[in-house]
Amino acid sequence: MPTVPSPATLAQLRTANPHLKDHRVSVASQHSLESQPENPNGQRNSAYITPSPISSSSPKPRRSMSRPSSLQPPPRTPTIASSTIAKKKKVLRELLETERTYVDGLELINEHFLSPLVKSAQEPNPLLSPGQMSSIFSNFIDMLGFHQAFYESLNRLIGPAVKPVTQPPSAYAANPPPPPSRGNSLVIQTSLDPPPSIVPLLTQHIPFLAMYTPFVTAYPTIMASLHNLTSPNSASFSPRFATWLKEQEQDPACGRLGLRDWLLTLVQRCPR
């Protein structure tokens, strides 16, 4: 146990350390001072005691506990954007391909069935009269013209963006694209470029779909007319037309489908 310092010792300590004049000296501090070695003048080295590193060190800053909010939406990455563009192009490509297939079917009806009948109507002994042709084909010509124009506009708008270039290399070498000039840079369509919007085009052409109403309404009459013209038991039976129609339907271009089947595609196009 350290001994309690005497008043004389305390006075001597204050004389040697003036900054301790107005402060108390603990027993442990006095004991640690008496244990220090003496200098050549017979005094203890109490003035050279280094302060404790714990007392002089500054407090450590608190670690920030902030976390990102779970309500914040994830950042949009190029992968998500490119995936969305790819899906849009796929839908537009399917629209363009189905419209092309549909127009091909309409043109087959016109070239393989209607046009020969119209040509025969100018002969002395036609296959069908104009009234009979109208009862079978109704307003088919109007629908054919509409879809041909619509496909051309659709292909011109989104064709370069959704389908690969089908031009052979020889044709490309013979007619290469012009180099970009000042003020007229060459625009190259890439997979990351968004396709153009087809909303204005659809808004322009949708009103013309009303022409389907007369054809769909007259479809039962169309089937009845074909049946009467090709059935031997009917009063309207036409042997020449029935033979001609059978030969036309056997053509490989028809894909084993008859005129009735091809006309049905017009009715099925509406719900699709």
Side-chain angles (χ1 to χ4, degrees):
M1 291 293 293
T3 59
V4 179
S6 62
T9 304
L10 292 175
Q12 182 182 2
L13 182 60
R14 291 191 180 94
T15 303
N17 298 275
H19 62 280
L20 299 177
K21 182 177 180 181
D22 299 330
H23 300 277
R24 295 181 180 179
V25 180
S26 65
V27 176
S29 298
Q30 178 61 24
H31 177 71
S32 61
L33 289 174
E34 292 179 351
S35 63
Q36 297 295 324
E38 295 182 355
N39 55 23
N41 296 329
Q43 297 180 355
R44 301 185 183 276
N45 298 327
S46 58
Y48 298 95
I49 299 177
T50 58
S52 174
I54 299 178
S55 61
S56 62
S57 61
S58 59
K60 296 181 179 180
R62 297 184 61 183
R63 181 178 300 176
S64 175
M65 300 300 292
S66 61
R67 297 180 180 178
S69 174
S70 59
L71 300 178
Q72 296 178 355
R76 296 180 61 87
T77 60
T79 303
I80 298 177
S82 61
S83 175
T84 303
I85 293 175
K87 291 180 181 179
K88 290 182 179 179
K89 289 187 175 183
K90 181 181 178 180
V91 173
L92 294 177
R93 187 182 303 112
E94 292 179 354
L95 174 62
L96 186 64
E97 291 175 353
T98 54
E99 185 65 20
R100 175 69 265 180
T101 303
Y102 183 62
V103 171
D104 289 342
L106 296 181
E107 292 178 348
L108 184 142
I109 296 174
N110 180 52
E111 297 172 2
H112 204 69
F113 297 101
L114 180 57
S115 293
L117 291 174
V118 172
K119 185 178 180 180
S120 71
Q122 301 174 0
E123 299 175 356
N125 188 16
L127 290 171
L128 293 178
S129 64
Q132 290 173 325
M133 284 189 293
S134 177
S135 66
I136 295 176
F137 295 97
S138 185
N139 61 334
F140 168 79
I141 289 296
D142 298 332
M143 301 165 69
L144 172 63
F146 162 73
H147 281 281
Q148 286 176 334
F150 175 69
Y151 173 76
E152 292 178 1
S153 301
L154 184 65
N155 186 41
R156 185 167 52 250
L157 177 64
I158 67 174
V162 301
K163 65 180 181 179
V165 178
T166 57
Q167 188 180 23
S170 57
Y172 180 84
N175 300 305
S181 59
R182 180 175 299 178
N184 185 20
S185 59
L186 180 63
V187 178
I188 300 177
Q189 184 77 20
T190 64
S191 59
L192 297 180
D193 295 333
S197 174
I198 63 173
V199 174
L201 181 64
L202 293 179
T203 304
Q204 179 183 358
H205 286 82
I206 280 179
F208 293 95
L209 295 178
M211 66 179 61
Y212 271 86
T213 301
F215 187 89
V216 174
T217 304
Y219 183 75
T221 304
I222 293 173
M223 294 295 102
S225 298
L226 279 175
H227 175 75
N228 295 333
L229 290 170
T230 57
S231 178
N233 299 327
S234 174
S236 303
F237 175 63
S238 174
R240 291 184 62 242
F241 174 75
T243 303
W244 174 86
L245 181 62
K246 185 176 180 180
E247 292 176 355
Q248 293 296 103
E249 292 177 342
Q250 290 177 349
D251 193 303
C254 293
R256 298 182 179 180
L257 297 177
L259 178 58
R260 295 175 179 85
D261 303 319
W262 284 109
L263 293 177
L264 180 61
T265 60
L266 279 75
V267 180
Q268 295 174 336
R269 184 63 174 176
C270 295
R272 292 180 183 178

